[in-house]
Amino acid sequence: MGGFAIKVQCNPARIVSSLANIDPGYIARRPCFLCKSNMPEHQKGVPFYSHTGGHSYEIVPNPFPIFKTHLTIPAVEHTRQEIGGRFEDMLDLAQALPDFVVFYNGPASGASAPDHMHFQAGEKGFIPIEHGFESIERDYFHVGKSGKMSMMRTYIPGTIVLESPDAASCARLFYRLLDSLPIREGQYEPMLNIFCWTLADGSIICVIFNRCKHRPDCYYEPDGPDQYKMTPGCVDLSGVLIIPRREDFDRIDGEVAAQILSQVCDNSAPEDYETFLENMRDAYKRKSKVVRVLLSDADYVKIRFLSGYQCGQCDEAAAQTLTTEESFWAGAGKVLWR
């Protein structure tokens, strides 16, 4: 695809994820398989706490692995799949698991459990995009102290690559991107797949796929040669197509693979690409504005800095929560930072 080689893996066990019913009514009725109380007794895990994001997770083996070592990382709390306020957790995981890549499937972008916040991870060296992204033709639209951002012109046009020297810088760039992307009707966040890993010097690479569909058109074709039961997630878009059915695996070729990936990703047409690229350039030229808000009776407020804010010796970024002392509203208390 555009000179970029992809792999194809026949994995019948993944049929559970590929055919997952994500209808809100069905999800509300079924037991959540990522809640610890519903997991098989043998699916033991280890706890993980994100000190930056302030959330708790459980790292467990994925029961239907794609990688030799495939981890699922659900939040301890049952809360919906949403990257806003959780991207810092993803970066903490990438730093805590230096031999792994960490990835996120959005609630309408390949996630089979959109009702429960979770990440996944797999060992480095398996996914083509990890070592191949530098060979893909890209246009840079932002270069600054926080890092570089570029857009793929080939392979899957419109895919964004974020290169940052550290986690705080990465979060600043990502949240400005998140706030610049459109939210489609019926969704609560932009449709995204995110693939992230660290380098030996501590720098971070994130590849962000901009989605437009949960499933390709061929998924809904009648039984026959035009039907492929695939629900592409981050692994598929990163260069390993997961095909559960043997009959689909035996007949897929490069042309069909390209059609599947282009159907679920946005901005693949040349005119759409140029418009998207210009919009991203404009988004990173804009300066942040000061917004004054009167709080009357809130116990806390969550805020997000899109660029660095110096607090003493700390360079704060991304999501923060401000709370108050008991006497604050009487006029004598203080706002408590973090």
Side-chain angles (χ1 to χ4, degrees):
M1 292 182 59
F4 185 78
I6 63 174
K7 304 176 184 178
V8 180
Q9 181 187 100
C10 185
N11 193 333
R14 298 300 297 182
I15 196 72
V16 176
S17 296
S18 294
L19 301 184
N21 187 343
I22 61 166
D23 175 75
Y26 171 80
I27 288 175
R29 294 190 303 270
R30 62 112 169 97
C32 175
F33 56 85
L34 290 181
C35 283
K36 192 170 184 178
S37 58
N38 297 325
M39 287 185 181
E41 196 170 314
H42 62 270
Q43 196 175 10
K44 304 292 185 182
V46 294
F48 177 83
Y49 179 73
S50 169
H51 291 280
T52 307
H55 300 108
S56 296
Y57 296 83
E58 190 88 1
I59 302 178
V60 299
N62 191 300
F64 309 111
I66 295 170
F67 302 77
K68 289 182 180 178
T69 305
H70 190 164
L71 307 175
T72 299
I73 310 167
V76 171
E77 176 189 8
H78 181 81
T79 186
R80 71 184 185 181
Q81 184 83 332
E82 185 172 9
I83 196 61
R86 299 273 184 166
F87 184 67
E88 302 88 337
D89 304 345
M90 187 176 190
L91 298 179
D92 279 358
L93 281 163
Q95 291 175 313
L97 301 169
D99 296 327
F100 288 76
V101 294
V102 180
F103 53 100
Y104 170 84
N105 291 322
S109 304
S112 55
D115 57 331
H116 196 124
M117 180 63 209
H118 65 286
F119 298 103
Q120 295 181 65
E123 76 274 4
K124 285 181 175 178
F126 176 68
I127 299 294
I129 205 78
E130 180 193 342
H131 298 292
F133 78 94
E134 292 182 331
S135 67
I136 298 171
E137 184 182 352
R138 291 178 286 150
D139 295 303
Y140 281 89
F141 59 86
H142 174 79
V143 178
K145 292 181 179 179
S146 294
K148 301 182 291 185
M149 300 193 72
S150 59
M151 188 179 296
M152 291 184 186
R153 183 173 286 274
T154 57
Y155 181 48
I156 302 179
T159 298
I160 292 170
V161 179
L162 191 164
E163 304 166 73
S164 283
D166 53 65
S169 300
C170 190
R172 283 196 289 271
L173 290 178
F174 175 78
Y175 278 114
R176 176 157 290 193
L177 171 67
L178 189 66
D179 289 346
S180 301
L181 294 174
I183 299 177
R184 297 178 181 275
E185 185 177 354
Q187 305 299 322
Y188 53 80
E189 71 172 12
M191 295 179 68
L192 299 174
N193 298 95
I194 307 169
F195 193 74
C196 172
W197 69 95
T198 58
L199 301 180
D201 62 358
S203 58
I204 298 172
I205 308 293
C206 283
V207 180
I208 301 154
F209 299 95
N210 187 32
R211 292 285 287 262
C212 62
K213 290 181 182 179
H214 180 64
R215 286 175 170 135
D217 296 343
C218 61
Y219 182 94
Y220 303 100
E221 289 286 343
D223 289 344
D226 294 329
Q227 184 192 78
Y228 289 84
K229 286 297 185 183
M230 297 172 57
T231 302
C234 197
V235 170
D236 304 78
L237 301 180
S238 298
V240 182
L241 279 182
I242 307 302
I243 305 182
R245 301 195 310 182
R246 183 73 198 199
E247 60 267 34
D248 296 341
F249 176 79
D250 288 340
R251 57 196 166 86
I252 196 167
D253 56 24
E255 182 179 352
V256 172
Q259 288 176 356
I260 288 171
L261 297 184
S262 65
Q263 285 175 6
V264 299
C265 289
D266 208 357
N267 308 301
S268 57
E271 62 273 15
D272 295 334
Y273 176 87
E274 296 298 341
T275 300
F276 187 39
L277 178 61
E278 195 58 37
N279 289 343
M280 289 296 99
R281 285 179 175 142
D282 290 342
Y284 282 84
K285 288 177 183 176
R286 291 197 298 266
K287 300 292 184 181
S288 300
K289 297 181 180 180
V290 175
V291 178
R292 293 178 174 85
V293 180
L294 174 64
L295 302 175
S296 59
D297 58 359
D299 294 324
Y300 67 92
V301 59
K302 291 187 176 182
I303 59 175
R304 178 183 297 155
F305 297 112
L306 297 181
S307 58
Y309 182 89
Q310 200 72 26
C311 180
Q313 299 300 313
C314 299
D315 186 18
E316 304 292 347
Q320 308 289 343
T321 299
L322 306 182
T323 56
T324 61
E325 288 183 340
E326 186 174 351
S327 57
F328 177 78
W329 299 116
K334 300 177 181 179
V335 172
L336 304 179
W337 184 258
R338 297 189 71 161

